[in-house]
Amino acid sequence: MTITVATEAAAAGLPAVRPYESYVYAYPHKTAYRPLEDRPSLRSLWAAEPKDALSLYTHIPFCEVRCGFCNLFTRIGAPDELTTRYLDALERQAVAARDALGDEASVRFAAVAFGGGTPTFLTAGELERLCDIAERRMGAELRSVPLSVETSPSTATADRLAVLADRGTTRISIGVQSFVDEEARAAVRPQRRADVEAALGRIREAEIPLLNIDLIYGIDGQTERSWLASLDAALAWRPEELYLYPLYVRPLTGLHRLGAAAGSEAGAEAEALEQTAWDEQRLRLYAVGRDHLLEHGYEQVSMRMFRRADAPREQEGPGDYACQTDGMIGLGCGARSYTGALHYSFDYAVDMREIRSIIDRFTAAEDFSRAEAGRYVDVDEARRRHLLQSLLQAAGMPVADYRARFGTDPVADFPAELAGFAARGWLDTSAPDGLLRLSPSGLAHSDALGPTLFSPGVRAAMAAYERK
């Protein structure tokens, strides 16, 4: 199925939309967070929360290099024993977080993830300590629950992987982005295919049950042929999961700075045509990648995530994260925590100098008993979050689940938004009664559909955020 910007814009005479407005991996976005004047205690925030199926996410903000497309909270390198000081602070934070959960009710972690940055930037010994913090300080039983860990080709060494396998890792995710060396360079990601293949070999030798490979489409110079070559190189390893990401060039990233430095004498009309051509390229490559994976025995879970149909389900990690409900403890200065009423974290930045400053403040902190920055979530925001993060899954959203949680009907709560999706052909008219599900075109336009559900308040806060 071919998807184009023009044909979708023409549907029902509706105005054109940008298919790649924003990747909605969490709502509200951290740019809507603000310093919390009341600085509520974690103990008060978690006092009435269910604690029998929590998620634990630990953020390691270090990488060997920073890719040109990356706007994640991470810094290059860790001089002067910074990783040791960071783990010291992480342990202090874990003690405070576990104390806040209390012992009045059963506390259990149902899933754990180590992300970043690059968690395997840590040495094998430091990874052992990271696992100890999760187990001994937080009480997470790593060998009994799904444990997902992110890695990179240069840090997926045998000794690190051995630690992760021994401590119960069920899923490892490696960012490859492209198996074509020229494309990797164009994305400002210095790597060689030979090194990528060697890392994948070590991962398979470690016998971690589930392998995920991340790939990117829309890179400068990428063609359908080269995109299929990367897909086939990944498929040769029979990964249980594949994530296909559209390239974004976000403010303050390396690619954005390169584009700004190059400058352009083209007028606004020419720039708009160039943007439309790039949108068309990404939509075309998305469809090529989707169809190729479906033909090779993969199931589509979301716009980005594809799962091998015969992959063992009992060993899966947390999958395509869509936390419609709450109950997440985040450790580390780039991690979020979610309660039913408040999403909280620390300060957020993309610029490297700002990130270094935030990490330095985190490592020097002694008191982690209060929430510093975040956004309160009322019933309307909870409804939006549930609809958004359910609808963006290929399986769709059972209306009965929404009604059971909120006592209302999503069509009544979001009449204009859902009518707009239907008019554009983004809703699956063949879905069974009681199921809201996106059509193939709707899934392809997830990055346009998702932001449509942002509340006016969140939009205003994101627009007012000062990038740093």
Side-chain angles (χ1 to χ4, degrees), residues 363-386:
T363 58
E366 295 292 338
D367 182 6
F368 290 98
S369 65
R370 294 183 175 275
E372 300 289 336
R375 187 170 185 87
Y376 285 98
V377 178
D378 60 18
V379 173
D380 174 68
E381 296 290 16
R383 287 175 177 148
R384 290 178 183 277
R385 184 164 179 258
H386 185 106

Side-chain angles (χ1 to χ4, degrees), residues 59-67 70-77 115-119 121 333-334 348-356 359:
H59 182 256
I60 304 299
F62 306 111
C63 290
E64 290 191 332
V65 296
R66 193 170 199 190
C67 303
C70 179
N71 74 334
L72 298 178
F73 188 96
T74 186
R75 61 159 291 164
I76 300 171
T118 308
F121 179 91
C333 56
Y348 172 71
V350 176
D351 180 77
M352 189 65 69
R353 288 170 297 180
E354 295 286 347
I355 290 174
R356 287 197 294 263
I359 292 173

Side-chain angles (χ1 to χ4, degrees), residues 17-29 248 303-304 381 383-393 414 417 421 424 426 438 441-455 458-459 462:
V17 295
R18 289 282 321 281
Y20 299 103
E21 181 178 338
S22 178
Y23 170 26
V24 185
Y25 58 89
Y27 179 79
H29 190 270
Y248 275 87
M303 171 187 165
R304 288 165 170 76
E381 296 290 16
R383 287 175 177 148
R384 290 178 183 277
R385 184 164 179 258
H386 185 106
L387 176 61
L388 189 158
Q389 295 190 294
S390 300
L391 197 56
L392 293 184
Q393 303 301 297
F414 302 99
E417 293 90 339
F421 300 160
R424 291 184 180 277
W426 290 353
L438 296 183
S441 179
L443 276 175
H445 288 81
S446 291
D447 287 5
L449 184 152
T452 304
L453 292 169
F454 291 4
S455 72
V458 165
R459 285 182 176 277
M462 292 175 67

Side-chain angles (χ1 to χ4, degrees), residues 284-410:
R284 184 173 63 253
L285 293 177
Y286 160 80
V288 167
R290 175 200 61 196
D291 294 348
H292 197 64
L293 294 187
L294 294 178
E295 290 168 2
H296 282 76
Y298 283 75
E299 301 169 337
Q300 186 167 18
V301 179
S302 69
M303 171 187 165
R304 288 165 170 76
M305 181 184 175
F306 295 81
R307 178 189 293 126
R308 210 178 74 209
D310 63 347
R313 302 301 171 97
E314 69 274 7
Q315 293 177 324
E316 288 176 4
D320 193 20
Y321 181 66
C323 185
Q324 294 93 334
T325 54
D326 304 290
M328 170 174 278
I329 296 285
L331 299 179
C333 56
R336 313 161 190 255
S337 295
Y338 302 147
T339 71
L342 178 69
H343 294 186
Y344 63 92
S345 184
F346 295 91
D347 199 3
Y348 172 71
V350 176
D351 180 77
M352 189 65 69
R353 288 170 297 180
E354 295 286 347
I355 290 174
R356 287 197 294 263
S357 176
I358 294 170
I359 292 173
D360 288 344
R361 292 199 300 273
F362 176 83
T363 58
E366 295 292 338
D367 182 6
F368 290 98
S369 65
R370 294 183 175 275
E372 300 289 336
R375 187 170 185 87
Y376 285 98
V377 178
D378 60 18
V379 173
D380 174 68
E381 296 290 16
R383 287 175 177 148
R384 290 178 183 277
R385 184 164 179 258
H386 185 106
L387 176 61
L388 189 158
Q389 295 190 294
S390 300
L391 197 56
L392 293 184
Q393 303 301 297
M397 185 191 78
V399 174
D401 290 355
Y402 183 97
R403 288 174 180 154
R405 183 177 179 192
F406 300 109
T408 57
D409 189 284

Side-chain angles (χ1 to χ4, degrees), residues 1 7-12 14 418-429 437-445 449:
M1 173 184 176
T7 56
E8 291 304 322
L14 296 169
L418 292 174
F421 300 160
R424 291 184 180 277
W426 290 353
L427 295 183
D428 183 0
T429 57
R437 186 170 66 195
L438 296 183
S439 65
S441 179
L443 276 175
H445 288 81
L449 184 152

